[in-house]
């Protein structure tokens, strides 16, 4: 079936902010005395802020009350936003702008499917928000990836079926979400980590719309 829309995850697909999430979570984990590795970080990619904190606390066998958890999430987000403040269109990952442009020129719709509550701010900083027909972010969904809600909602907002859309993801949880929602999924990153994707490429510079 011809592709009618591309649904992009944001962090790690469109923009190199995944490293900022990692640094901010690592700083938080260290402040709590919890070791935190890049391998563990793979399990946080695509996962909501609250679910990420719960995973880190579980790794450290730490139980905290809900007020303390809110404070920690605010602190992590503050550190993360300090990095985001420096984001410019230069931080877009390779191929992003050209891929969005080719979708636009071919009449293929464009959506965002991100768990982040900071998505609109970042799309504005990248100066690409005008490309998007639908933006589904962490403020609109109740169930985090690997639940397919974020992508199903994007398809619904565009009045399309999952089979008419292709999802682009850099996270294991995001690939799982796309596949369980009935979408084709292109992984961005390491083929060994994203083995459940239909195809894996290094970046959007390594794939053309005509290949979908
Ligand atoms: C994305 C990222 C995660 C992040 C989540 C929530 O899915 O991959 O690393 O935790 O969004 O982001 P937020 O900006 O709302 O804290
Ligand atoms: Mg991502």
């Amino acid at each position: 079936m011809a592709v009618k829309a591309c649904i992009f995850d944001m962090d790690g697909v469109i923009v190199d902010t995944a490293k900022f999430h990692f640094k901010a979570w690592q700083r938080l984990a260290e402040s709590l005395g919890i070791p935190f590795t890049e391998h563990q970080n793979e399990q946080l990619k695509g996962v909501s802020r609250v679910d990420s904190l719960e995973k880190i606390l579980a790794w450290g066998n730490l139980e905290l009350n809900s007020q303390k958890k809110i404070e920690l999430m605010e602190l992590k987000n503050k550190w993360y936003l300090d990095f985001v403040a420096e984001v410019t269109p230069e931080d877009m990952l390779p191929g992003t702008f050209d891929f969005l442009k080719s979708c636009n020129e071919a009449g293929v719709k464009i959506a965002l499917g991100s768990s982040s509550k900071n998505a609109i701010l970042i799309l504005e900083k990248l100066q690409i928000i005008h490309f998007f027909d639908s933006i589904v972010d962490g403020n609109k969904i109740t169930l985090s990836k690997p639940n397919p809600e974020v992508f199903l909602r994007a398809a619904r907002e565009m009045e399309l079926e999952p089979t008419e859309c292709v999802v682009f993801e850099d996270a294991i949880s995001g690939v799982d979400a796309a596949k369980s929602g009935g979408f084709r999924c292109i992984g961005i990153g390491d083929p060994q980590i994203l083995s459940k994707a239909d195809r894996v490429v290094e970046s959007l510079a390594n794939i053309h719309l005509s290949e979908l």
Side-chain angles (χ1 to χ4, degrees):
M1 183 176 294
V3 175
K4 294 193 177 155
C6 291
I7 306 177
F8 300 92
D9 170 52
M10 184 180 70
D11 298 297
V13 170
I14 285 181
V15 59
D16 202 7
T17 41
K19 64 183 181 200
F20 299 152
H21 281 296
F22 173 58
K23 283 185 183 172
W25 282 128
Q26 193 178 45
R27 184 170 170 190
L28 193 84
E30 276 173 8
S31 76
L32 298 168
I34 302 172
F36 179 63
T37 63
E38 291 232 32
H39 178 71
Q40 284 166 308
N41 187 56
E42 284 302 325
Q43 297 175 51
L44 301 190
K45 286 185 179 174
V47 174
S48 70
R49 203 179 300 170
V50 63
D51 290 352
S52 299
L53 178 65
E54 294 292 359
K55 278 182 194 271
I56 291 171
L57 294 178
W59 290 328
N61 286 319
L62 204 58
E63 282 185 26
L64 299 173
N65 65 39
S66 51
Q67 183 52 38
K68 183 70 187 163
K69 287 182 195 170
I70 290 169
E71 283 168 27
L72 291 177
M73 285 191 286
E74 283 174 357
L75 194 57
K76 183 267 171 180
N77 197 48
K78 184 190 161 301
W79 291 333
Y80 175 68
L81 289 178
D82 286 344
F83 291 122
V84 167
E86 308 294 321
V87 166
T88 71
E90 305 276 292
D91 293 294
M92 252 183 293
L93 285 164
T96 302
F97 190 83
D98 288 346
F99 203 96
L100 293 174
K101 212 161 141 262
S102 58
C103 288
N104 204 241
E105 285 165 3
V108 171
K109 288 191 173 172
I110 298 172
L112 191 83
S114 167
S115 306
S116 175
K117 295 186 171 174
N118 296 302
I120 288 187
L121 167 74
I122 293 171
L123 293 182
E124 279 171 349
K125 286 185 97 52
L126 297 175
Q127 300 173 16
I128 54 171
I129 198 160
H130 59 281
F131 278 118
F132 289 82
D133 297 285
S134 155
I135 295 176
V136 182
D137 65 10
N139 299 298
K140 278 192 181 175
I141 54 167
T142 49
L143 300 164
S144 189
K145 298 168 189 176
N147 188 287
E149 182 188 4
V150 67
F151 299 132
L152 291 173
R153 178 152 178 176
R156 204 169 61 235
E157 285 193 3
M158 296 184 288
E159 298 182 352
L160 293 172
E161 295 299 324
T163 50
E164 297 174 304
C165 309
V166 175
V167 169
F168 294 80
E169 257 297 346
D170 72 314
I172 300 166
S173 65
V175 173
D176 288 344
K179 294 313 295 174
S180 75
F183 296 85
R184 255 195 299 151
C185 182
I186 306 290
I188 304 288
D190 184 337
Q192 283 189 323
I193 294 176
L194 305 175
S195 56
K196 291 191 201 153
D198 297 292
R199 180 179 165 187
V200 181
V201 291
E202 201 181 320
S203 75
L204 288 171
N206 302 90
I207 187 163
H208 191 268
L209 186 58
S210 59
E211 297 169 63
L212 298 182

